[in-house]
């Protein structure tokens, strides 16, 4: 029996990177998958790569609350009740505490924080009757400071702690929903590979002396999506090649 048989999963930012790798793994293990993204061209390529009748794409800007309800409704219409929500969509820009602009700040927070807040809010609404798992893709930047990722640090730190608050709320309400965060180190995704000049320095930051793969991060997301993680909620799962052990 596949690990996600009978489950319906919604994955934001599913056109590439962690989202696409997670979609591939979920499909292999029996799930029906809805991927969302702002990148229509990337999504077309992703759907061709996934090549399955059990996946659909819905264009979505996660930072806009009014686009969330239609996504869940379309997912339910196509595949039935949603069991898994992976809040993966995110953006990164370099900035620091002295020179950041208001525009840069709000741009990052809109996607990396507001997009997760809405994903959790509507995830609870649509999962609370039958239960399931909400997984928030965070980062080691939600655990440690990085001087040139000021806004991203703040956003991922927010995701880390709002995950715990939401998980406790669901327990208090007796909703059968688990909510956890995943904290990757630097891994091969379009976001990181866009800076090839930094690769050697980034590899050196990890005791394992390499970057992670998107598939290695997806494996952790798979565990949290499956019933194997039935006693885990409000927790942070680190997949960082030893980075934060130092």
């Amino acid at each position: 029996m596949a690990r996600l048989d009978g489950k319906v999963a919604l994955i934001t930012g599913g056109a590439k990177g962690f989202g696409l790798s997670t979609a591939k793994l979920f499909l292999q293990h029996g799930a029906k998958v809805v991927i969302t993204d702002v990148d229509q061209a990337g999504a077309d390529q992703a759907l061709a790569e996934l090549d399955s009748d059990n996946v659909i794409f819905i264009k979505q800007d996660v930072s806009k609350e009014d686009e969330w309800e239609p996504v869940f409704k379309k997912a339910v219409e196509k595949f039935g009740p949603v069991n898994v929500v992976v809040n993966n969509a995110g953006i990164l820009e370099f900035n620091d505490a002295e020179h950041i602009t208001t525009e840069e700040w709000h741009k990052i927070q809109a996607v990396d924080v507001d997009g997760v807040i809405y994903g959790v809010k509507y995830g609870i609404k649509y999962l609370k009757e039958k239960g399931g798992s909400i997984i928030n893709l965070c980062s080691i930047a939600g655990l440690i400071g990085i001087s040139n990722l000021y806004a991203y640090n703040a956003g991922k730190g927010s995701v880390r702690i709002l995950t715990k608050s939401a998980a406790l709320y669901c327990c208090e309400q007796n909703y059968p929903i688990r909510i956890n965060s995943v904290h990757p180190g630097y891994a091969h995704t379009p976001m990181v590979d866009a800076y090839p000049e930094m690769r050697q320095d980034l590899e050196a930051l990890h005791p394992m002396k390499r970057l992670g793969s998107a598939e290695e991060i997806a494996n952790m997301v798979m565990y949290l999506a499956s019933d194997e993680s039935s006693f885990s909620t409000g927790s942070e799962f680190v997949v960082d090649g030893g980075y934060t052990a130092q």
Side-chain angles (χ1 to χ4, degrees), residues 52-99:
S52 172
D53 294 333
N54 290 326
V55 61
I56 62 169
F57 167 73
I58 302 172
K59 190 171 184 179
Q60 180 194 26
D61 180 343
V62 296
S63 70
K64 297 179 179 178
E65 184 173 7
D66 62 1
E67 294 192 16
W68 275 94
E69 191 100 49
V71 166
F72 273 96
K73 287 183 176 180
K74 290 175 184 176
V76 171
E77 289 171 5
K78 177 66 176 179
F79 293 131
V82 176
N83 315 104
V84 178
V85 177
V86 182
N87 289 308
N88 168 71
I91 58 174
L92 177 150
E93 288 186 353
F94 295 104
N95 44 59
D96 61 68
E98 183 178 7
H99 301 101

Side-chain angles (χ1 to χ4, degrees), residues 4-246:
L4 298 181
D5 270 352
K7 295 190 185 298
V8 176
L10 169 63
I11 304 171
T12 68
K16 53 187 175 294
F18 296 150
L20 179 56
S21 289
T22 298
K24 288 178 183 177
L25 193 59
F26 280 16
L27 288 167
Q28 290 169 11
H29 284 269
K32 294 180 171 61
V33 176
V34 177
I35 59 173
T36 79
D37 210 294
V38 293
D39 182 2
Q40 179 71 59
D44 292 341
Q45 184 176 343
L47 288 175
E49 189 173 335
L50 294 170
D51 190 24
S52 172
D53 294 333
N54 290 326
V55 61
I56 62 169
F57 167 73
I58 302 172
K59 190 171 184 179
Q60 180 194 26
D61 180 343
V62 296
S63 70
K64 297 179 179 178
E65 184 173 7
D66 62 1
E67 294 192 16
W68 275 94
E69 191 100 49
V71 166
F72 273 96
K73 287 183 176 180
K74 290 175 184 176
V76 171
E77 289 171 5
K78 177 66 176 179
F79 293 131
V82 176
N83 315 104
V84 178
V85 177
V86 182
N87 289 308
N88 168 71
I91 58 174
L92 177 150
E93 288 186 353
F94 295 104
N95 44 59
D96 61 68
E98 183 178 7
H99 301 101
I100 190 167
T101 66
T102 300
E103 182 181 3
E104 289 170 336
W105 174 265
H106 287 299
K107 179 181 178 181
I108 294 290
Q109 306 316 313
V111 177
D112 292 3
V113 182
D114 295 355
V116 177
I117 287 172
Y118 299 141
V120 170
K121 176 181 178 179
Y122 288 95
I124 291 172
K125 177 177 179 178
Y126 279 86
L127 271 62
K128 65 183 180 182
E129 182 178 345
K130 295 191 176 182
S133 176
I134 298 174
I135 304 147
N136 297 329
L137 261 292
C138 197
S139 169
I140 55 169
L143 303 172
I144 61 171
I146 301 172
S147 64
N148 64 347
L149 292 177
Y150 186 59
Y152 189 75
N153 259 153
K156 293 304 184 179
S158 296
V159 169
R160 173 181 174 267
I161 207 69
L162 73 81
T163 296
K164 297 178 185 300
S165 177
L168 292 173
Y169 172 79
C170 287
C171 289
E172 291 168 357
Q173 299 300 313
N174 293 316
Y175 295 154
I177 301 173
R178 296 171 290 108
I179 309 180
N180 295 284
S181 58
V182 175
H183 299 254
Y186 291 99
H188 288 292
T189 66
M191 182 183 289
V192 172
D193 290 340
Y195 303 96
E197 72 279 5
M198 297 175 62
R199 177 171 176 174
Q200 188 171 356
D201 289 339
L202 293 178
E203 289 175 339
L205 294 172
H206 302 76
M208 293 182 73
K209 304 301 182 191
R210 66 175 178 85
L211 303 186
S213 69
E215 291 76 17
E216 286 172 315
I217 311 308
N219 286 335
M220 180 60 76
V221 179
M222 158 76 99
Y223 167 70
L224 293 172
S226 76
D227 295 337
E228 297 161 18
S229 57
S230 57
F231 198 52
S232 295
T233 198
S235 296
E236 52 204 49
F237 292 81
V238 182
V239 192
D240 70 350
Y243 190 117
T244 55
Q246 301 175 96

